[in-house]
């Protein structure tokens, strides 16, 4: 049983100019993020371009990452797939190399959208593994909204203990907080308020470019130093608003590159920022430099 409190950084997957994973940079990034004090790393995250990674690439990322982390923080591995048997296979592989938890999307793209169907999907995966499962509520991407009632029901399973809530609906988020399960915020622009409301922690893409600030924000909230937390938040917010409304992953990766974390390269079909988007991103990052 894992404790996924704190800053779980939804880690980028660094690519070279030809679109191949740069494992040397990957290992370098892990060390940098650990030095920043993150509490967990999410490998194969959405920010890590999971949809565009092969199963074998994910397996190698997870094996290399877990081995290098060596227990210095939690490691959450995404094992999402369209085919249930593939989810089980990916999940078991991640567990076998030492992952602390799994992150699994609901059965998106014309899968069952009724709550009984979604429950059955997770129930089968839950029965196949022995580590914690993090469900993933991101209806803007999947078309499936996980209700608080469904999350509470899922929390009765053996391993289903968390939900990552990236929907951005703070009313639903607070309903999740009233269930038996533990909640991890995934909407960048509500991070501070989710922590104040009682979220166990966050799975945070923007932490790729501001890991020290992300960890500091969590520390300030847990220490109840709210004035300082809000001051820091005001420096973070402009870039968070930009990435949430813009092309998310390319923006996060470019911001990370500008701040010394990674290559900034994306894998097709994602594209680099336009010159106008680049200028707006740089402007939004200004307060972090002050």
């Amino acid at each position: 049983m894992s404790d996924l409190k704190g800053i779980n950084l939804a880690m980028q997957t660094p690519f070279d100019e030809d679109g191949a994973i740069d494992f040397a940079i990957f290992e370098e990034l892990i060390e940098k993020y650990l030095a920043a004090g993150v509490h967990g790393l999410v490998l194969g995250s959405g920010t890590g371009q999971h949809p565009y990674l092969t199963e074998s690439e994910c397996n190698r990322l997870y094996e290399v990452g877990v081995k290098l982390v060596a227990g210095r923080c939690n490691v959450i591995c995404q094992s999402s797939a369209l085919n249930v048997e593939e989810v089980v296979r990916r999940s078991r592989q991640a567990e076998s190399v030492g992952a602390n938890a799994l992150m699994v999307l609901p059965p998106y793209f014309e899968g069952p959208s009724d709550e009984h169907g979604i429950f059955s999907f997770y129930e089968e995966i839950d029965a196949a593994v022995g580590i914690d499962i993090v469900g993933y509520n991101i209806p803007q991407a999947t078309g499936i909204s996980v209700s608080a009632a469904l999350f509470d029901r899922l929390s009765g399973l053996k391993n289903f203990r968390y939900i990552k809530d990236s929907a951005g609906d703070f009313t639903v988020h607070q309903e999740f907080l009233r269930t038996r399960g533990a909640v991890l915020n995934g909407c960048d622009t509500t991070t501070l308020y989710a922590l104040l409301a009682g979220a166990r922690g966050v799975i945070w893409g923007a932490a790729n470019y501001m890991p020290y600030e992300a960890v500091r924000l969590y520390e300030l909230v847990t220490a109840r130093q709210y004035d300082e937390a809000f001051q820091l938040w005001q420096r973070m917010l402009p870039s968070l608003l930009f990435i949430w409304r813009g092309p998310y992953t390319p923006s996060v990766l470019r911001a990370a590159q500008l701040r010394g974390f990674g290559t900034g390269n994306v894998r097709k079909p994602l594209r680099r920022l336009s010159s106008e988007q680049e200028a707006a991103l740089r402007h939004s990052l200004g307060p972090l430099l002050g």
Side-chain angles (χ1 to χ4, degrees), residues 78-198:
Q78 178 160 206
S79 54
S80 301
L82 288 172
N83 180 280
V84 178
E85 286 74 18
E86 183 179 340
V87 178
V88 169
R89 184 174 67 244
R90 285 173 173 255
S91 298
R92 285 174 169 167
Q93 175 63 24
E95 181 179 7
S96 75
V97 300
N100 299 104
L102 306 164
M103 186 169 71
V104 184
L105 285 163
Y108 58 98
F109 196 68
E110 298 186 1
S113 58
D114 66 286
E115 297 201 346
H116 293 301
I118 297 169
F119 181 86
S120 295
F121 168 82
Y122 279 118
E123 184 178 37
E124 183 170 349
I125 299 162
D126 186 272
V129 298
I131 57 176
D132 287 344
I133 295 172
V134 181
Y136 196 166
N137 186 46
I138 183 167
Q140 62 268 38
T142 63
I144 296 172
S145 294
V146 178
S147 69
L150 176 57
F151 176 46
D152 191 62
R153 183 183 175 196
L154 287 165
S155 298
L157 294 172
K158 175 169 59 83
N159 299 303
F160 198 107
R161 297 190 60 228
Y162 296 91
I163 193 163
K164 177 190 178 185
D165 181 26
S166 297
D169 185 329
F170 200 58
T171 296
V172 174
H173 192 83
Q174 291 178 97
E175 290 174 339
F176 285 150
L177 289 168
R178 294 174 64 84
T179 69
R180 290 178 287 173
V183 182
L184 303 173
N185 184 63
C187 174
D188 300 70
T189 56
T190 64
T191 302
L192 173 59
Y193 306 101
L195 289 173
L196 291 172

Side-chain angles (χ1 to χ4, degrees), residues 214-234:
V215 171
R216 182 59 178 157
L217 184 73
Y218 177 76
E219 291 173 344
L220 288 170
V221 171
T222 55
R224 299 177 180 247
Q225 296 176 251
Y226 300 132
D227 287 345
E228 293 90 338
F230 274 97
Q231 290 170 12
L232 175 56
W233 182 248
Q234 290 307 310

Side-chain angles (χ1 to χ4, degrees), residues 33-50:
Y33 292 142
L34 287 171
V38 300
H39 306 89
L41 291 171
V42 184
L43 307 183
S45 65
T47 314
Q49 300 175 72
H50 182 271

Side-chain angles (χ1 to χ4, degrees), residues 23 26-27 30 59-69:
F23 279 92
F26 177 65
E27 295 186 11
I30 287 176
N59 289 344
R60 187 178 174 205
L61 272 178
Y62 302 166
E63 183 176 2
V64 170
V66 171
K67 183 177 181 181
L68 182 59
V69 169

